[in-house]
Amino acid sequence: MSKFTSFTSRSGMSVGNAVTADQLVSFFKQIYTKHKEEEITFVCIGTDRSTGDALGPLTGTYLCDHGFARVIGTLSSPCDAANLESHLAEIPPDQIIIAIDACLGDAANIGRFISKSTALFPGRSVKGQLPPVGNYSIAGIVNRNGPRPYSILQMTSLYQVMNMASQIADAAKASVDYTRMSQVNELAIEV
């Protein structure tokens, strides 16, 4: 889980950049315009043992359900603090990584996302010392920030987290479908 405060997160992401699920489609379109599908690996960080921190594994599971082949971190095989570094070591250096993690933020931004063309720093809210992850990142604001992040994550709505995970995976799928259709249309015009 990444941490966000009222102004700027410890990972350098501004909460002022919180976007809706619909705006994630544009974010993914930008990525898929620059990179081929086979160059992209999703690293979905979190654990299935905490409702709030399950955003990553749920998203990874939904991405797999949508047919994405390169996904690390699912409900059946989470990517968490215990194994993150070993998973990262297995990714070929030519892959573009999209990191996905949960975070806490302002109450007004719960259900929104921070999308950046930079890495995120997992575990910062709980004083973790994990390496930065990703060329691109999405942090889902699953609950409000507070003095006891572990407790807040345990009190996070599973319905909220499942919806957000589905929205991320659906946005990625819509973007890939759009990119594929654009490529087909370009080929048809050339012929």
Side-chain angles (χ1 to χ4, degrees), residues 18-41:
V19 299
T20 64
D22 291 338
Q23 293 168 311
L24 283 181
V25 175
S26 296
F27 178 69
F28 279 116
K29 281 182 186 176
Q30 291 172 4
I31 295 169
Y32 282 100
T33 299
K34 295 177 186 175
H35 309 285
K36 297 176 184 173
E37 281 181 63
E38 58 273 10
E39 296 174 335
I40 296 174
T41 296

PDB file of all heavy atoms in Angstrom, residues 18-41:
ATOM      1  N   ALA A  18      -5.848  13.235  -8.665  1.00  0.00           N
ATOM      2  CA  ALA A  18      -6.746  12.092  -8.567  1.00  0.00           C
ATOM      3  C   ALA A  18      -7.737  12.131  -9.730  1.00  0.00           C
ATOM      4  O   ALA A  18      -8.342  13.159 -10.008  1.00  0.00           O
ATOM      5  CB  ALA A  18      -7.481  12.109  -7.230  1.00  0.00           C
ATOM      6  N   VAL A  19      -7.858  10.994 -10.412  1.00  0.00           N
ATOM      7  CA  VAL A  19      -8.722  10.907 -11.587  1.00  0.00           C
ATOM      8  C   VAL A  19      -9.810   9.867 -11.369  1.00  0.00           C
ATOM      9  O   VAL A  19      -9.702   8.994 -10.509  1.00  0.00           O
ATOM     10  CB  VAL A  19      -7.909  10.567 -12.864  1.00  0.00           C
ATOM     11  CG1 VAL A  19      -6.875  11.642 -13.155  1.00  0.00           C
ATOM     12  CG2 VAL A  19      -7.254   9.194 -12.765  1.00  0.00           C
ATOM     13  N   THR A  20     -10.841   9.950 -12.180  1.00  0.00           N
ATOM     14  CA  THR A  20     -11.931   8.990 -12.133  1.00  0.00           C
ATOM     15  C   THR A  20     -11.572   7.756 -12.964  1.00  0.00           C
ATOM     16  O   THR A  20     -10.592   7.761 -13.718  1.00  0.00           O
ATOM     17  CB  THR A  20     -13.222   9.601 -12.702  1.00  0.00           C
ATOM     18  OG1 THR A  20     -13.011   9.894 -14.095  1.00  0.00           O
ATOM     19  CG2 THR A  20     -13.607  10.869 -11.955  1.00  0.00           C
ATOM     20  N   ALA A  21     -12.380   6.732 -12.839  1.00  0.00           N
ATOM     21  CA  ALA A  21     -12.161   5.508 -13.605  1.00  0.00           C
ATOM     22  C   ALA A  21     -12.220   5.784 -15.106  1.00  0.00           C
ATOM     23  O   ALA A  21     -11.429   5.217 -15.872  1.00  0.00           O
ATOM     24  CB  ALA A  21     -13.200   4.455 -13.211  1.00  0.00           C
ATOM     25  N   ASP A  22     -13.128   6.648 -15.539  1.00  0.00           N
ATOM     26  CA  ASP A  22     -13.222   6.971 -16.969  1.00  0.00           C
ATOM     27  C   ASP A  22     -11.935   7.596 -17.487  1.00  0.00           C
ATOM     28  O   ASP A  22     -11.532   7.354 -18.627  1.00  0.00           O
ATOM     29  CB  ASP A  22     -14.395   7.914 -17.231  1.00  0.00           C
ATOM     30  CG  ASP A  22     -15.745   7.244 -17.018  1.00  0.00           C
ATOM     31  OD1 ASP A  22     -15.812   5.995 -17.079  1.00  0.00           O
ATOM     32  OD2 ASP A  22     -16.730   7.965 -16.789  1.00  0.00           O
ATOM     33  N   GLN A  23     -11.278   8.392 -16.667  1.00  0.00           N
ATOM     34  CA  GLN A  23     -10.042   9.037 -17.084  1.00  0.00           C
ATOM     35  C   GLN A  23      -8.868   8.062 -17.151  1.00  0.00           C
ATOM     36  O   GLN A  23      -7.873   8.342 -17.825  1.00  0.00           O
ATOM     37  CB  GLN A  23      -9.713  10.208 -16.144  1.00  0.00           C
ATOM     38  CG  GLN A  23     -10.725  11.341 -16.274  1.00  0.00           C
ATOM     39  CD  GLN A  23     -10.602  12.361 -15.160  1.00  0.00           C
ATOM     40  OE1 GLN A  23     -10.555  11.996 -13.985  1.00  0.00           O
ATOM     41  NE2 GLN A  23     -10.545  13.630 -15.529  1.00  0.00           N
ATOM     42  N   LEU A  24      -8.992   6.914 -16.501  1.00  0.00           N
ATOM     43  CA  LEU A  24      -7.940   5.901 -16.600  1.00  0.00           C
ATOM     44  C   LEU A  24      -7.814   5.352 -18.017  1.00  0.00           C
ATOM     45  O   LEU A  24      -6.735   4.962 -18.446  1.00  0.00           O
ATOM     46  CB  LEU A  24      -8.203   4.742 -15.646  1.00  0.00           C
ATOM     47  CG  LEU A  24      -7.888   4.957 -14.176  1.00  0.00           C
ATOM     48  CD1 LEU A  24      -8.201   3.692 -13.380  1.00  0.00           C
ATOM     49  CD2 LEU A  24      -6.445   5.367 -13.968  1.00  0.00           C
ATOM     50  N   VAL A  25      -8.911   5.338 -18.760  1.00  0.00           N
ATOM     51  CA  VAL A  25      -8.864   4.846 -20.142  1.00  0.00           C
ATOM     52  C   VAL A  25      -7.877   5.686 -20.942  1.00  0.00           C
ATOM     53  O   VAL A  25      -7.039   5.153 -21.675  1.00  0.00           O
ATOM     54  CB  VAL A  25     -10.264   4.845 -20.791  1.00  0.00           C
ATOM     55  CG1 VAL A  25     -10.179   4.446 -22.254  1.00  0.00           C
ATOM     56  CG2 VAL A  25     -11.203   3.908 -20.043  1.00  0.00           C
ATOM     57  N   SER A  26      -7.930   6.998 -20.799  1.00  0.00           N
ATOM     58  CA  SER A  26      -6.995   7.883 -21.508  1.00  0.00           C
ATOM     59  C   SER A  26      -5.555   7.613 -21.084  1.00  0.00           C
ATOM     60  O   SER A  26      -4.641   7.626 -21.920  1.00  0.00           O
ATOM     61  CB  SER A  26      -7.335   9.354 -21.247  1.00  0.00           C
ATOM     62  OG  SER A  26      -8.590   9.655 -21.771  1.00  0.00           O
ATOM     63  N   PHE A  27      -5.356   7.393 -19.800  1.00  0.00           N
ATOM     64  CA  PHE A  27      -4.016   7.090 -19.287  1.00  0.00           C
ATOM     65  C   PHE A  27      -3.478   5.827 -19.950  1.00  0.00           C
ATOM     66  O   PHE A  27      -2.344   5.809 -20.452  1.00  0.00           O
ATOM     67  CB  PHE A  27      -4.070   6.936 -17.763  1.00  0.00           C
ATOM     68  CG  PHE A  27      -2.762   6.568 -17.123  1.00  0.00           C
ATOM     69  CD1 PHE A  27      -1.722   7.475 -17.082  1.00  0.00           C
ATOM     70  CD2 PHE A  27      -2.583   5.325 -16.538  1.00  0.00           C
ATOM     71  CE1 PHE A  27      -0.505   7.147 -16.473  1.00  0.00           C
ATOM     72  CE2 PHE A  27      -1.377   4.991 -15.932  1.00  0.00           C
ATOM     73  CZ  PHE A  27      -0.336   5.896 -15.901  1.00  0.00           C
ATOM     74  N   PHE A  28      -4.279   4.770 -19.985  1.00  0.00           N
ATOM     75  CA  PHE A  28      -3.840   3.526 -20.624  1.00  0.00           C
ATOM     76  C   PHE A  28      -3.654   3.699 -22.130  1.00  0.00           C
ATOM     77  O   PHE A  28      -2.731   3.122 -22.714  1.00  0.00           O
ATOM     78  CB  PHE A  28      -4.831   2.389 -20.345  1.00  0.00           C
ATOM     79  CG  PHE A  28      -4.661   1.747 -19.000  1.00  0.00           C
ATOM     80  CD1 PHE A  28      -5.668   1.818 -18.049  1.00  0.00           C
ATOM     81  CD2 PHE A  28      -3.512   1.055 -18.679  1.00  0.00           C
ATOM     82  CE1 PHE A  28      -5.530   1.222 -16.808  1.00  0.00           C
ATOM     83  CE2 PHE A  28      -3.353   0.441 -17.444  1.00  0.00           C
ATOM     84  CZ  PHE A  28      -4.370   0.523 -16.509  1.00  0.00           C
ATOM     85  N   LYS A  29      -4.501   4.484 -22.774  1.00  0.00           N
ATOM     86  CA  LYS A  29      -4.335   4.726 -24.221  1.00  0.00           C
ATOM     87  C   LYS A  29      -2.986   5.360 -24.507  1.00  0.00           C
ATOM     88  O   LYS A  29      -2.320   5.012 -25.480  1.00  0.00           O
ATOM     89  CB  LYS A  29      -5.457   5.624 -24.750  1.00  0.00           C
ATOM     90  CG  LYS A  29      -6.753   4.911 -24.993  1.00  0.00           C
ATOM     91  CD  LYS A  29      -7.790   5.877 -25.558  1.00  0.00           C
ATOM     92  CE  LYS A  29      -9.144   5.232 -25.687  1.00  0.00           C
ATOM     93  NZ  LYS A  29     -10.170   6.191 -26.149  1.00  0.00           N
ATOM     94  N   GLN A  30      -2.567   6.298 -23.666  1.00  0.00           N
ATOM     95  CA  GLN A  30      -1.256   6.930 -23.847  1.00  0.00           C
ATOM     96  C   GLN A  30      -0.142   5.889 -23.751  1.00  0.00           C
ATOM     97  O   GLN A  30       0.816   5.917 -24.526  1.00  0.00           O
ATOM     98  CB  GLN A  30      -1.037   8.023 -22.796  1.00  0.00           C
ATOM     99  CG  GLN A  30      -1.922   9.222 -22.975  1.00  0.00           C
ATOM    100  CD  GLN A  30      -1.812  10.199 -21.814  1.00  0.00           C
ATOM    101  OE1 GLN A  30      -1.009  10.015 -20.900  1.00  0.00           O
ATOM    102  NE2 GLN A  30      -2.626  11.240 -21.844  1.00  0.00           N
ATOM    103  N   ILE A  31      -0.277   4.972 -22.806  1.00  0.00           N
ATOM    104  CA  ILE A  31       0.738   3.930 -22.629  1.00  0.00           C
ATOM    105  C   ILE A  31       0.771   3.012 -23.849  1.00  0.00           C
ATOM    106  O   ILE A  31       1.838   2.723 -24.401  1.00  0.00           O
ATOM    107  CB  ILE A  31       0.480   3.118 -21.347  1.00  0.00           C
ATOM    108  CG1 ILE A  31       0.637   4.012 -20.110  1.00  0.00           C
ATOM    109  CG2 ILE A  31       1.417   1.908 -21.266  1.00  0.00           C
ATOM    110  CD1 ILE A  31       0.160   3.380 -18.817  1.00  0.00           C
ATOM    111  N   TYR A  32      -0.408   2.553 -24.295  1.00  0.00           N
ATOM    112  CA  TYR A  32      -0.457   1.607 -25.403  1.00  0.00           C
ATOM    113  C   TYR A  32      -0.176   2.258 -26.748  1.00  0.00           C
ATOM    114  O   TYR A  32       0.094   1.560 -27.727  1.00  0.00           O
ATOM    115  CB  TYR A  32      -1.799   0.848 -25.405  1.00  0.00           C
ATOM    116  CG  TYR A  32      -1.811  -0.247 -24.374  1.00  0.00           C
ATOM    117  CD1 TYR A  32      -2.437  -0.076 -23.144  1.00  0.00           C
ATOM    118  CD2 TYR A  32      -1.151  -1.447 -24.608  1.00  0.00           C
ATOM    119  CE1 TYR A  32      -2.422  -1.079 -22.186  1.00  0.00           C
ATOM    120  CE2 TYR A  32      -1.129  -2.456 -23.653  1.00  0.00           C
ATOM    121  CZ  TYR A  32      -1.766  -2.261 -22.453  1.00  0.00           C
ATOM    122  OH  TYR A  32      -1.740  -3.259 -21.502  1.00  0.00           O
ATOM    123  N   THR A  33      -0.189   3.576 -26.812  1.00  0.00           N
ATOM    124  CA  THR A  33       0.230   4.273 -28.018  1.00  0.00           C
ATOM    125  C   THR A  33       1.756   4.257 -28.123  1.00  0.00           C
ATOM    126  O   THR A  33       2.312   4.171 -29.211  1.00  0.00           O
ATOM    127  CB  THR A  33      -0.274   5.733 -27.997  1.00  0.00           C
ATOM    128  OG1 THR A  33      -1.702   5.711 -27.942  1.00  0.00           O
ATOM    129  CG2 THR A  33       0.169   6.503 -29.215  1.00  0.00           C
ATOM    130  N   LYS A  34       2.430   4.295 -26.978  1.00  0.00           N
ATOM    131  CA  LYS A  34       3.897   4.334 -26.943  1.00  0.00           C
ATOM    132  C   LYS A  34       4.535   2.948 -26.919  1.00  0.00           C
ATOM    133  O   LYS A  34       5.687   2.794 -27.316  1.00  0.00           O
ATOM    134  CB  LYS A  34       4.364   5.095 -25.698  1.00  0.00           C
ATOM    135  CG  LYS A  34       3.993   6.555 -25.684  1.00  0.00           C
ATOM    136  CD  LYS A  34       4.435   7.192 -24.380  1.00  0.00           C
ATOM    137  CE  LYS A  34       3.946   8.621 -24.295  1.00  0.00           C
ATOM    138  NZ  LYS A  34       4.251   9.226 -22.988  1.00  0.00           N
ATOM    139  N   HIS A  35       3.810   1.956 -26.413  1.00  0.00           N
ATOM    140  CA  HIS A  35       4.404   0.632 -26.197  1.00  0.00           C
ATOM    141  C   HIS A  35       3.474  -0.458 -26.738  1.00  0.00           C
ATOM    142  O   HIS A  35       2.256  -0.349 -26.653  1.00  0.00           O
ATOM    143  CB  HIS A  35       4.633   0.383 -24.707  1.00  0.00           C
ATOM    144  CG  HIS A  35       5.372   1.492 -24.022  1.00  0.00           C
ATOM    145  ND1 HIS A  35       6.725   1.695 -24.175  1.00  0.00           N
ATOM    146  CD2 HIS A  35       4.937   2.466 -23.187  1.00  0.00           C
ATOM    147  CE1 HIS A  35       7.096   2.745 -23.465  1.00  0.00           C
ATOM    148  NE2 HIS A  35       6.031   3.236 -22.849  1.00  0.00           N
ATOM    149  N   LYS A  36       4.087  -1.523 -27.236  1.00  0.00           N
ATOM    150  CA  LYS A  36       3.325  -2.668 -27.725  1.00  0.00           C
ATOM    151  C   LYS A  36       2.809  -3.492 -26.550  1.00  0.00           C
ATOM    152  O   LYS A  36       3.420  -3.504 -25.479  1.00  0.00           O
ATOM    153  CB  LYS A  36       4.201  -3.545 -28.610  1.00  0.00           C
ATOM    154  CG  LYS A  36       4.689  -2.844 -29.849  1.00  0.00           C
ATOM    155  CD  LYS A  36       5.631  -3.734 -30.615  1.00  0.00           C
ATOM    156  CE  LYS A  36       6.190  -2.973 -31.805  1.00  0.00           C
ATOM    157  NZ  LYS A  36       7.232  -3.726 -32.484  1.00  0.00           N
ATOM    158  N   GLU A  37       1.717  -4.193 -26.777  1.00  0.00           N
ATOM    159  CA  GLU A  37       1.133  -5.035 -25.720  1.00  0.00           C
ATOM    160  C   GLU A  37       2.146  -6.006 -25.119  1.00  0.00           C
ATOM    161  O   GLU A  37       2.203  -6.184 -23.904  1.00  0.00           O
ATOM    162  CB  GLU A  37      -0.030  -5.863 -26.274  1.00  0.00           C
ATOM    163  CG  GLU A  37      -1.310  -5.127 -26.433  1.00  0.00           C
ATOM    164  CD  GLU A  37      -2.393  -6.053 -26.952  1.00  0.00           C
ATOM    165  OE1 GLU A  37      -2.743  -7.018 -26.244  1.00  0.00           O
ATOM    166  OE2 GLU A  37      -2.891  -5.795 -28.066  1.00  0.00           O
ATOM    167  N   GLU A  38       2.940  -6.637 -25.973  1.00  0.00           N
ATOM    168  CA  GLU A  38       3.882  -7.639 -25.491  1.00  0.00           C
ATOM    169  C   GLU A  38       5.048  -7.053 -24.702  1.00  0.00           C
ATOM    170  O   GLU A  38       5.819  -7.781 -24.085  1.00  0.00           O
ATOM    171  CB  GLU A  38       4.400  -8.514 -26.643  1.00  0.00           C
ATOM    172  CG  GLU A  38       5.089  -7.759 -27.748  1.00  0.00           C
ATOM    173  CD  GLU A  38       4.168  -7.222 -28.847  1.00  0.00           C
ATOM    174  OE1 GLU A  38       2.931  -7.253 -28.690  1.00  0.00           O
ATOM    175  OE2 GLU A  38       4.707  -6.753 -29.860  1.00  0.00           O
ATOM    176  N   GLU A  39       5.178  -5.729 -24.696  1.00  0.00           N
ATOM    177  CA  GLU A  39       6.236  -5.071 -23.934  1.00  0.00           C
ATOM    178  C   GLU A  39       5.808  -4.709 -22.510  1.00  0.00           C
ATOM    179  O   GLU A  39       6.613  -4.242 -21.726  1.00  0.00           O
ATOM    180  CB  GLU A  39       6.662  -3.769 -24.627  1.00  0.00           C
ATOM    181  CG  GLU A  39       7.275  -3.948 -25.984  1.00  0.00           C
ATOM    182  CD  GLU A  39       7.539  -2.633 -26.684  1.00  0.00           C
ATOM    183  OE1 GLU A  39       6.866  -1.619 -26.388  1.00  0.00           O
ATOM    184  OE2 GLU A  39       8.432  -2.624 -27.543  1.00  0.00           O
ATOM    185  N   ILE A  40       4.531  -4.907 -22.195  1.00  0.00           N
ATOM    186  CA  ILE A  40       3.988  -4.410 -20.935  1.00  0.00           C
ATOM    187  C   ILE A  40       3.739  -5.541 -19.940  1.00  0.00           C
ATOM    188  O   ILE A  40       3.129  -6.557 -20.271  1.00  0.00           O
ATOM    189  CB  ILE A  40       2.701  -3.610 -21.186  1.00  0.00           C
ATOM    190  CG1 ILE A  40       3.040  -2.365 -22.006  1.00  0.00           C
ATOM    191  CG2 ILE A  40       2.009  -3.243 -19.876  1.00  0.00           C
ATOM    192  CD1 ILE A  40       1.859  -1.555 -22.463  1.00  0.00           C
ATOM    193  N   THR A  41       4.205  -5.330 -18.724  1.00  0.00           N
ATOM    194  CA  THR A  41       3.940  -6.238 -17.604  1.00  0.00           C
ATOM    195  C   THR A  41       3.260  -5.441 -16.499  1.00  0.00           C
ATOM    196  O   THR A  41       3.706  -4.351 -16.144  1.00  0.00           O
ATOM    197  CB  THR A  41       5.253  -6.847 -17.048  1.00  0.00           C
ATOM    198  OG1 THR A  41       5.854  -7.649 -18.061  1.00  0.00           O
ATOM    199  CG2 THR A  41       4.993  -7.695 -15.814  1.00  0.00           C
TER     200      THR A  41
END
